[in-house]
Coordinates of all heavy atoms in Angstrom, one line a residue:
I14 N -2.7 -4.3 -3.7 CA -3.4 -3.4 -4.6 C -4.7 -3.1 -3.9 O -5.4 -3.9 -3.3 CB -3.7 -4.1 -5.9 CG1 -2.4 -4.5 -6.6 CG2 -4.5 -3.1 -6.8 CD1 -2.7 -5.4 -7.8
E15 N -5.1 -1.8 -3.9 CA -6.4 -1.4 -3.3 C -7.2 -0.6 -4.3 O -6.7 0.2 -5.1 CB -6.1 -0.5 -2.1 CG -7.4 0.0 -1.5 CD -7.2 0.7 -0.1 OE1 -6.8 0.0 0.8 OE2 -7.4 1.9 0.0
R16 N -8.5 -0.9 -4.4 CA -9.5 -0.2 -5.2 C -10.7 0.1 -4.3 O -11.4 -0.8 -3.8 CB -9.9 -1.0 -6.4 CG -10.9 -0.3 -7.3 CD -11.4 -1.1 -8.4 NE -10.3 -1.5 -9.3 CZ -10.4 -2.5 -10.2 NH1 -11.5 -3.1 -10.4 NH2 -9.4 -2.8 -11.0
R17 N -10.9 1.4 -4.0 CA -11.9 1.7 -3.0 C -13.4 1.6 -3.5 O -14.3 1.3 -2.7 CB -11.7 3.2 -2.5 CG -10.4 3.3 -1.7 CD -10.3 4.6 -1.0 NE -9.3 4.6 0.0 CZ -9.4 4.2 1.3 NH1 -10.5 3.7 1.7 NH2 -8.4 4.2 2.1
T18 N -13.6 1.8 -4.8 CA -14.9 1.5 -5.3 C -14.7 0.8 -6.6 O -13.6 0.7 -7.2 CB -15.6 2.8 -5.6 OG1 -15.0 3.5 -6.7 CG2 -15.6 3.8 -4.4
P19 N -15.8 0.1 -7.2 CA -15.6 -0.6 -8.4 C -15.1 0.2 -9.6 O -14.6 -0.3 -10.5 CB -17.1 -1.1 -8.7 CG -17.7 -1.2 -7.3 CD -17.1 0.0 -6.6
T20 N -15.3 1.6 -9.5 CA -14.9 2.4 -10.7 C -13.7 3.2 -10.4 O -13.2 4.0 -11.3 CB -16.1 3.3 -11.1 OG1 -16.4 4.1 -9.9 CG2 -17.3 2.5 -11.5
S21 N -13.2 3.2 -9.2 CA -12.0 4.0 -8.8 C -10.7 3.3 -9.3 O -10.7 2.1 -9.6 CB -11.9 4.2 -7.3 OG -11.7 3.0 -6.7
P22 N -9.6 4.1 -9.5 CA -8.4 3.5 -10.0 C -7.7 2.6 -8.9 O -8.0 2.8 -7.7 CB -7.5 4.7 -10.3 CG -8.1 5.8 -9.5 CD -9.5 5.5 -9.4
D23 N -6.8 1.8 -9.4 CA -6.0 1.0 -8.4 C -4.9 1.8 -7.9 O -4.4 2.7 -8.5 CB -5.4 -0.3 -9.1 CG -6.5 -1.3 -9.5 OD1 -7.5 -1.4 -8.8 OD2 -6.3 -1.9 -10.6
S24 N -4.4 1.5 -6.7 CA -3.3 2.1 -6.1 C -2.5 1.1 -5.3 O -3.0 0.0 -5.0 CB -3.7 3.3 -5.1 OG -4.5 2.8 -4.1
V25 N -1.2 1.4 -5.0 CA -0.3 0.5 -4.3 C -0.7 0.6 -2.8 O -0.7 1.7 -2.2 CB 1.1 0.8 -4.5 CG1 2.0 -0.1 -3.7 CG2 1.5 0.7 -6.0
L26 N -1.0 -0.5 -2.2 CA -1.4 -0.5 -0.8 C -0.2 -1.1 0.0 O 0.3 -2.2 -0.3 CB -2.6 -1.4 -0.6 CG -3.0 -1.7 0.9 CD1 -3.4 -0.4 1.6 CD2 -4.1 -2.7 1.0
V27 N 0.2 -0.4 1.1 CA 1.2 -1.0 2.0 C 0.7 -0.9 3.4 O 0.1 0.1 3.9 CB 2.5 -0.2 1.9 CG1 3.5 -0.6 3.0 CG2 3.2 -0.3 0.5
I28 N 0.8 -2.1 4.1 CA 0.4 -2.2 5.5 C 1.6 -2.5 6.3 O 2.4 -3.5 6.0 CB -0.7 -3.3 5.6 CG1 -1.9 -2.9 4.9 CG2 -1.0 -3.6 7.1 CD1 -3.0 -4.0 4.9
R29 N 1.8 -1.8 7.4 CA 3.0 -2.0 8.3 C 2.5 -2.4 9.6 O 1.6 -1.8 10.2 CB 3.8 -0.6 8.3 CG 5.0 -0.7 9.2 CD 6.2 -1.4 8.5 NE 7.4 -1.0 9.2 CZ 7.8 -1.6 10.3 NH1 7.1 -2.7 10.8 NH2 8.9 -1.2 10.9
T30 N 3.1 -3.5 10.1 CA 2.7 -4.0 11.5 C 4.0 -4.2 12.3 O 5.1 -4.1 11.9 CB 2.0 -5.4 11.3 OG1 3.0 -6.4 11.1 CG2 1.0 -5.4 10.2
D31 N 3.7 -4.4 13.6 CA 4.8 -4.7 14.5 C 5.0 -6.2 14.5 O 4.4 -6.9 13.6 CB 4.6 -4.2 15.9 CG 3.3 -4.9 16.6 OD1 2.9 -5.9 16.1 OD2 2.9 -4.4 17.6
S32 N 5.9 -6.8 15.3 CA 6.3 -8.2 15.3 C 5.1 -9.1 15.6 O 5.2 -10.3 15.3 CB 7.5 -8.4 16.2 OG 7.2 -8.1 17.5
L33 N 4.1 -8.6 16.3 CA 2.9 -9.4 16.6 C 1.8 -9.2 15.7 O 0.7 -9.8 15.9 CB 2.4 -9.0 18.1 CG 3.5 -9.2 19.2 CD1 2.9 -8.7 20.5 CD2 3.9 -10.6 19.3
G34 N 2.0 -8.4 14.6 CA 0.9 -8.2 13.6 C 0.0 -7.1 13.9 O -1.0 -6.9 13.1
T35 N 0.3 -6.3 14.9 CA -0.6 -5.1 15.2 C -0.3 -4.0 14.2 O 0.9 -3.7 13.9 CB -0.3 -4.6 16.6 OG1 -0.5 -5.7 17.6 CG2 -1.2 -3.5 17.0
L36 N -1.4 -3.4 13.7 CA -1.2 -2.4 12.7 C -0.5 -1.2 13.2 O -0.9 -0.6 14.2 CB -2.6 -2.0 12.1 CG -2.6 -0.9 11.0 CD1 -2.0 -1.4 9.8 CD2 -4.1 -0.5 10.8
L37 N 0.6 -0.7 12.5 CA 1.2 0.5 12.8 C 0.8 1.6 11.9 O 0.5 2.7 12.3 CB 2.8 0.3 12.7 CG 3.4 -0.7 13.6 CD1 4.9 -0.8 13.3 CD2 3.2 -0.3 15.1
W38 N 0.7 1.3 10.6 CA 0.2 2.3 9.6 C -0.2 1.6 8.3 O 0.3 0.5 8.0 CB 1.1 3.5 9.4 CG 2.6 3.2 9.0 CD1 3.6 3.2 9.8 CD2 3.1 2.9 7.7 NE1 4.8 2.9 9.1 CE2 4.5 2.7 7.8 CE3 2.5 2.7 6.4 CZ2 5.3 2.4 6.8 CZ3 3.3 2.4 5.4 CH2 4.7 2.2 5.5
R39 N -1.0 2.3 7.5 CA -1.3 1.8 6.2 C -1.3 3.0 5.2 O -1.8 4.1 5.6 CB -2.6 1.0 6.1 CG -3.8 1.9 6.4 CD -5.1 1.0 6.5 NE -5.4 0.4 5.2 CZ -6.0 0.9 4.2 NH1 -6.3 2.2 4.2 NH2 -6.2 0.2 3.1
R40 N -0.8 2.8 4.0 CA -0.7 4.0 3.1 C -1.0 3.4 1.7 O -0.7 2.3 1.4 CB 0.6 4.7 3.1 CG 0.9 5.5 4.4 CD 2.3 6.1 4.4 NE 2.6 6.9 5.5 CZ 2.4 8.2 5.5 NH1 2.0 8.9 4.4 NH2 2.7 9.0 6.6
C41 N -1.4 4.4 0.8 CA -1.5 4.0 -0.6 C -0.6 5.0 -1.4 O -0.4 6.1 -1.0 CB -3.0 4.2 -1.1 SG -4.1 3.0 -0.5
Y42 N -0.1 4.4 -2.5 CA 0.8 5.1 -3.4 C 0.4 5.0 -4.8 O -0.2 4.0 -5.2 CB 2.3 4.6 -3.2 CG 2.8 4.5 -1.8 CD1 2.4 3.5 -0.9 CD2 3.5 5.6 -1.3 CE1 2.9 3.4 0.4 CE2 4.0 5.5 0.0 CZ 3.7 4.5 0.9 OH 4.1 4.5 2.2
G43 N 0.8 6.0 -5.6 CA 0.5 6.0 -7.0 C 1.2 7.1 -7.8 O 1.4 8.2 -7.2
L44 N 1.6 6.8 -9.0 CA 2.2 7.8 -9.8 C 1.4 8.3 -11.0 O 1.4 9.5 -11.3 CB 3.6 7.3 -10.4 CG 4.5 8.2 -11.1 CD1 4.9 9.3 -10.1 CD2 5.7 7.5 -11.6
R45 N 0.6 7.4 -11.6 CA -0.3 7.7 -12.7 C -1.7 7.3 -12.3 O -2.1 7.1 -11.2 CB 0.2 7.1 -13.9 CG 1.6 7.6 -14.3 CD 2.2 6.9 -15.5 NE 3.6 7.4 -15.8 CZ 4.5 6.7 -16.5 NH1 4.2 5.5 -17.0 NH2 5.6 7.2 -16.7
T46 N -2.5 7.1 -13.4 CA -4.0 6.8 -13.1 C -4.1 5.6 -12.3 O -4.9 5.5 -11.4 CB -4.7 6.7 -14.5 OG1 -4.5 7.9 -15.2 CG2 -6.2 6.5 -14.2
N47 N -3.4 4.5 -12.7 CA -3.5 3.2 -12.0 C -2.1 2.8 -11.6 O -1.1 2.9 -12.4 CB -4.1 2.1 -12.8 CG -5.6 2.2 -13.0 OD1 -6.3 1.8 -12.1 ND2 -6.0 2.8 -14.1
S48 N -1.9 2.3 -10.3 CA -0.6 1.8 -9.9 C -0.8 0.6 -9.1 O -1.8 0.5 -8.3 CB 0.1 2.9 -9.0 OG 0.4 4.0 -9.8
L49 N 0.0 -0.4 -9.3 CA -0.1 -1.7 -8.7 C 1.1 -2.1 -7.9 O 2.2 -1.8 -8.4 CB -0.4 -2.8 -9.8 CG -1.4 -2.5 -10.9 CD1 -1.4 -3.6 -11.9 CD2 -2.8 -2.3 -10.2
G50 N 1.0 -2.7 -6.8 CA 2.1 -3.1 -6.0 C 2.3 -4.6 -5.9 O 1.3 -5.4 -5.7
F51 N 3.6 -5.1 -6.1 CA 3.8 -6.5 -6.1 C 5.0 -7.0 -5.2 O 4.9 -8.1 -4.7 CB 4.1 -7.0 -7.6 CG 2.9 -6.9 -8.5 CD1 2.6 -5.8 -9.2 CD2 2.0 -8.0 -8.5 CE1 1.5 -5.7 -10.0 CE2 0.9 -7.9 -9.3 CZ 0.6 -6.8 -10.1
S52 N 6.1 -6.2 -5.2 CA 7.2 -6.6 -4.4 C 7.6 -5.6 -3.4 O 7.4 -4.4 -3.6 CB 8.4 -6.9 -5.3 OG 8.8 -5.8 -6.0
I53 N 8.3 -6.0 -2.3 CA 8.6 -5.1 -1.2 C 9.8 -5.6 -0.5 O 10.0 -6.8 -0.3 CB 7.4 -4.9 -0.2 CG1 7.7 -3.8 0.8 CG2 7.1 -6.2 0.5 CD1 6.5 -3.4 1.6
S54 N 10.7 -4.7 -0.1 CA 11.9 -5.0 0.7 C 12.2 -3.9 1.7 O 11.8 -2.8 1.4 CB 13.1 -5.3 -0.2 OG 13.5 -4.2 -1.0
A55 N 12.9 -4.2 2.7 CA 13.2 -3.2 3.8 C 14.6 -2.6 3.6 O 15.6 -3.3 3.3 CB 13.1 -3.9 5.1
L56 N 14.7 -1.3 3.8 CA 16.0 -0.7 3.9 C 16.6 -0.8 5.3 O 15.9 -1.1 6.3 CB 15.8 0.8 3.5 CG 15.4 1.1 2.1 CD1 14.8 2.5 2.0 CD2 16.6 0.9 1.1
P57 N 18.0 -0.6 5.4 CA 18.6 -0.8 6.7 C 18.0 0.1 7.8 O 18.0 -0.2 9.0 CB 20.1 -0.4 6.4 CG 20.3 -0.8 5.0 CD 19.0 -0.4 4.3
D58 N 17.5 1.3 7.4 CA 17.0 2.3 8.4 C 15.5 2.1 8.7 O 14.9 2.8 9.5 CB 17.2 3.7 8.0 CG 16.4 4.1 6.7 OD1 15.8 3.2 6.1 OD2 16.5 5.3 6.3

């Protein structure tokens, strides 16, 4: 979960790394005013 300021809404934060932990990308997701992220799994592709 990411909140950029004390008054801003929450969003789903995803961080993607390589096998050594080096950052590949980071993104935030949301559908409504507040969105929270808890579980994650990988697709075959």
Side-chain angles (χ1 to χ4, degrees):
I14 303 167
E15 178 171 293
R16 181 183 299 168
R17 290 192 170 273
T18 71
T20 58
S21 64
D23 292 327
S24 58
V25 178
L26 171 66
V27 174
I28 295 175
R29 181 75 164 83
T30 77
D31 63 16
S32 60
L33 299 178
T35 304
L36 179 67
L37 298 177
W38 53 259
R39 65 185 301 278
R40 287 178 179 264
C41 288
Y42 304 85
L44 188 62
R45 298 174 181 163
T46 303
N47 284 279
S48 296
L49 313 175
F51 291 93
S52 63
I53 189 168
S54 61
L56 293 163
D58 67 354

